[in-house]
Amino acid sequence: MKRFLCMAIIIFLFIPKIMAQTEKGKWMINPEITTFGVGGTDNDKSKSNRFNFGLGFKGGSFIYDDLLVNVGIGFDINKQEKWKDNSLQLSGGLKYYILSHLFLGAEIGYEREWLRDYEGDKTLKNNYFFFGADLGYAIFITSNISIEPAIYWKHSFADRLNQYGFKVGFGLYF
């Protein structure tokens, strides 16, 4: 019973401090690293010698308590044995914080991809409009900085874009 009371006191002391960061009118900058893609559109071309790196920057404002509206830009580099592709994304979306820690995100965006086939010596260009979703958890290390691991999914219904994986973001609250 003593442990339960101690944990309850700690939670109630820290939650109000953390909840203040997701109040209406606050701003957030959110750089993300997505090097942990576990699946994607063209993974069947080559399973060996795979390199994947993604970096994104999002920023936005809380329009209501716990509801963030954001815009973002990002790029991905995906290289395998016989091909590589680079892509640039522009997106806009919403992120909703549940109990100021767990969050759900949704976004729509545009992606431009340059696919280089080493055997064919030509570059293909693809354009995608996509829908993305993520589920994550904000771990506040200070009152204004959080680490936000999340699982994500990005899909285009009109084209063949389908990616999912794990990403880590950093939240900076102002």
Side-chain angles (χ1 to χ4, degrees), residues 3 19-20 44 54 63 86 89-90 101 119 140 159 164 172:
R3 283 186 181 173
M19 289 178 71
D44 58 341
I63 59 169
N86 299 325
Q89 305 99 27
L90 301 171
H101 291 286
E119 294 174 353
F140 285 85
D159 299 317
Y164 49 93
L172 306 171

Side-chain angles (χ1 to χ4, degrees), residues 65-144:
D65 287 353
D66 301 324
L67 182 63
L68 177 76
V69 173
N70 60 23
V71 294
I73 187 168
F75 72 91
D76 286 326
I77 299 169
N78 191 358
K79 184 176 180 181
Q80 294 187 14
E81 189 175 305
K82 297 180 182 180
W83 63 277
K84 77 171 184 173
D85 72 59
N86 299 325
S87 63
L88 178 67
Q89 305 99 27
L90 301 171
S91 66
L94 300 171
K95 189 185 278 189
Y96 182 70
Y97 287 81
I98 302 166
L99 299 174
S100 297
H101 291 286
L102 183 67
F103 63 85
L104 298 169
E107 66 181 343
I108 57 171
Y110 168 77
E111 180 171 324
R112 172 73 170 192
E113 176 186 58
W114 295 270
L115 178 65
R116 172 80 181 205
D117 185 354
Y118 293 132
E119 294 174 353
D121 263 348
K122 66 180 186 175
T123 302
L124 301 172
K125 298 174 184 145
N126 296 318
N127 297 306
Y128 300 108
F129 289 96
F130 66 86
F131 169 78
D134 55 345
L135 172 66
Y137 191 79
I139 303 165
F140 285 85
I141 54 177
T142 70
S143 62
N144 293 336

Side-chain angles (χ1 to χ4, degrees), residues 1-32:
M1 185 68 174
K2 289 181 185 180
R3 283 186 181 173
F4 176 75
L5 285 174
C6 287
M7 290 302 291
I9 290 170
I10 289 171
I11 289 171
F12 286 113
L13 287 177
F14 288 107
I15 282 184
K17 181 179 176 183
I18 292 169
M19 289 178 71
Q21 298 309 320
T22 60
E23 288 177 343
K24 179 180 177 179
K26 297 286 185 171
W27 288 84
M28 179 183 178
I29 297 174
N30 187 209
E32 299 175 332

